[in-house]
Amino acid sequence: MRYLITALLLIGFLTTGLLRAENVMMVRSYDSFAVAQDAVTKSLESHGYTVAHVQRCDGGLTGFGYETDLYRVLFFGKPDEVRQWSKKVPELIPYLPLKIALIAEDDQVLISSFNPEELGQMFTDRKLQIQFSRWKNDIESVMREVSGRASVLTARAN
């Protein structure tokens, strides 16, 4: 059941049918949930981002009868960047701010996000393509920092 809920949350990142579920970045943290969430927040801030909102997901799932651990989605961005791109490319608004999910699994925390470079399939602006790459690199850096791992797993579905 836990993996079904995890899969549903990951799919939730792909907010429209325009994206394929093929480039989800993820790592595991062996810290407690609270420590991992705090570490992600601090790492995002050290990369110049602001956490705009933390969405609790476990309450709604429990209301539907699922047994859940802790689930949170952190919405983050650089306010000036979000405003600039939202104004220049309104079609990007549904994808901003960026999101990272934290999902407790026993004594581990799964930290995942979609790869912003996947949005490049929908937009041709070269500067925007560079921005997607920057966001991807920053998310990978945050994940590496929080997990203490040298690399971030990118899951591809066929």
Side-chain angles (χ1 to χ4, degrees):
M1 181 64 68
R2 172 174 305 172
Y3 298 105
L4 171 64
I5 295 169
T6 300
L8 291 173
L9 285 171
L10 291 175
I11 290 168
F13 274 119
L14 308 174
T15 56
T16 71
L18 298 174
L19 288 177
R20 297 175 306 227
E22 70 176 14
N23 219 340
V24 178
M25 303 179 315
M26 64 186 87
V27 294
R28 288 191 181 274
S29 171
Y30 296 92
D31 291 323
S32 70
F33 190 88
V35 169
Q37 181 176 338
D38 188 53
V40 169
T41 300
K42 287 180 179 174
S43 183
L44 287 168
E45 290 170 352
S46 75
H47 284 80
Y49 292 94
T50 300
V51 174
H53 179 66
V54 178
Q55 178 69 47
R56 290 189 57 180
C57 302
D58 48 312
L61 293 170
T62 302
F64 283 110
Y66 294 103
E67 285 186 36
T68 66
D69 288 326
L70 297 170
Y71 293 83
R72 303 286 184 274
V73 177
L74 280 66
F75 295 79
F76 66 96
K78 296 178 181 177
D80 291 339
E81 242 175 31
V82 171
R83 278 190 287 275
Q84 170 199 354
W85 286 114
S86 295
K87 186 175 183 176
K88 185 175 179 180
V89 186
E91 298 87 356
L92 193 58
I93 291 172
Y95 306 101
L96 297 175
L98 301 168
K99 300 149 197 76
I100 289 181
L102 288 89
I103 305 160
E105 290 187 341
D106 299 322
D107 60 345
Q108 302 173 21
V109 180
L110 178 65
I111 302 166
S112 64
S113 179
F114 78 94
N115 179 348
E117 286 183 335
E118 286 296 303
L119 294 172
Q121 299 172 34
M122 298 170 13
F123 301 97
T124 58
D125 183 307
R126 179 68 185 138
K127 289 181 182 177
L128 188 52
Q129 300 292 327
I130 292 167
Q131 184 65 63
F132 293 147
S133 292
R134 285 185 186 143
W135 287 335
K136 177 192 180 233
N137 291 339
D138 286 348
I139 293 169
E140 282 183 333
S141 179
V142 166
M143 288 181 169
R144 281 193 307 271
E145 190 175 300
V146 170
S147 69
R149 296 181 186 270
S151 62
V152 175
L153 173 67
T154 301
R156 292 199 171 271
N158 290 328

